[in-house]
Amino acid sequence: MMDLNSAVVVVTGAGRGLGAALAISLADQGCKLILCGRNPEALAQVSAAIEARTGSPADQVVVDLASSDSVKAALAEIHVRHPQVDILINNGAMWLEASEQPHSAAEVTGVIDAALSGTFLLTQGLLPVLKASKRPDIVTIGSISGLPNAPLHSVSLPFYAAKHGQLALADGLRQMLKGTPVRSLCVHPPYLEDVSPLDEAWQQIPARQKGEQGTNRDVVEAVIFALTRPRHISLSSIVIDTDSGGLFS
């Protein structure tokens, strides 16, 4: 099992939900966090929570993955402050639920651009600093909605397509980076209950029984497990399934 202590980690979508849970949990493991997200106030709150737990605040970079100009500016900030990045967690995405009303052009392009165009451009831009690391990893947070033959459930078609695209992106990176030190890892969560490491309920999650809903903690632990495997192993696809909110629920 590899040690995560002192690893420099970029987490997108870090201002809330799963992204915040990943950031806080990785900080608890001794990682140095670079929080990326659209809401500077939310990023500041997560950084303050990390500082209260570890004594060190996290770096914060405001970025809208749906805007290529915003991604370009964020990359410039990260490169100036961090000549090396060890782990990139591509968690940022826009949720869009199914609706009987037509989706607006802004909704559709926002979902697709955040999940695919922006995520790819950020990843491509960080590859040089990742390759400077002795333990470089890219983690894509996909979804059961992106798995082959997955039912639509309650997601919109643009979100469904975007998550299929993220699976292709993670797999394409795995192929492209063959022969380099960089691993491409992918985790596919089910529908989740949003529980924070700051909540008392976080400690009760391991006692849940089959049939109960999955949580952020379950995804965090899967990500940490994948990151801490020996370097010759790539957990390129981890599906987290549940009876409630899972692939065939």
Side-chain angles (χ1 to χ4, degrees):
M1 180 173 176
M2 294 188 62
D3 188 355
L4 291 173
N5 189 51
S6 297
V8 178
V9 185
V10 173
V11 180
T12 64
R16 59 184 177 84
L18 177 57
L22 283 162
I24 293 167
S25 299
L26 288 167
D28 287 345
Q29 295 280 324
C31 297
K32 300 175 181 177
L33 270 297
I34 305 169
L35 309 176
C36 295
R38 289 180 293 171
N39 187 325
E41 291 78 16
L43 296 180
Q45 289 177 358
V46 176
S47 178
I50 288 172
E51 184 173 16
R53 293 166 74 93
T54 69
S56 300
D59 197 2
Q60 303 157 56
V61 177
V62 177
V63 60
D64 180 357
L65 290 172
S67 164
S68 59
D69 288 341
S70 180
V71 172
K72 183 179 179 180
L75 282 167
E77 284 190 56
I78 294 171
H79 281 292
V80 166
R81 301 180 201 167
H82 303 279
Q84 176 182 309
V85 170
D86 300 299
I87 299 167
L88 166 61
I89 300 182
N90 285 323
N91 168 74
M94 293 178 65
W95 166 255
L96 186 60
E97 195 166 4
S99 172
E100 294 182 0
Q101 301 301 317
H103 298 295
S104 70
E107 287 176 327
V108 173
T109 56
V111 167
I112 300 296
D113 285 347
L116 295 177
S117 302
T119 294
F120 173 75
L121 290 171
L122 186 74
T123 302
Q124 178 177 252
L126 288 178
L127 276 176
V129 287
L130 281 163
K131 288 179 178 178
S133 169
K134 294 181 179 179
R135 48 146 313 131
D137 284 324
I138 300 168
V139 181
T140 300
I141 304 297
S143 167
I144 57 166
S145 294
L147 297 173
N149 303 312
L152 270 171
H153 290 303
S154 66
V155 305
S156 66
L157 188 53
F159 181 88
Y160 185 80
K163 284 300 180 180
H164 274 71
Q166 281 191 320
L167 173 59
L169 182 60
D171 188 60
L173 285 167
R174 181 171 61 90
Q175 296 179 55
M176 185 182 81
L177 295 169
K178 181 181 178 182
T180 77
V182 187
R183 300 187 299 188
S184 177
L185 316 172
C186 193
V187 178
H188 302 283
Y191 285 79
L192 296 173
E193 181 180 339
D194 186 6
V195 182
S196 167
L198 308 177
D199 298 337
E200 187 176 337
W202 183 269
Q203 304 304 324
Q204 309 305 319
I205 290 167
R208 291 194 176 199
Q209 301 299 307
K210 191 170 185 290
E212 295 186 78
Q213 195 170 12
T215 71
N216 291 348
R217 177 169 174 168
D218 302 307
V219 183
V220 167
E221 291 181 348
V223 169
I224 290 174
F225 181 78
L227 289 171
T228 54
R229 293 312 88 201
R231 298 300 302 172
H232 70 294
I233 294 295
S234 293
L235 297 185
S236 56
S237 182
I238 300 176
V239 178
I240 303 174
D241 206 358
T242 51
D243 290 351
S244 173
L247 188 58
F248 298 114
S249 65

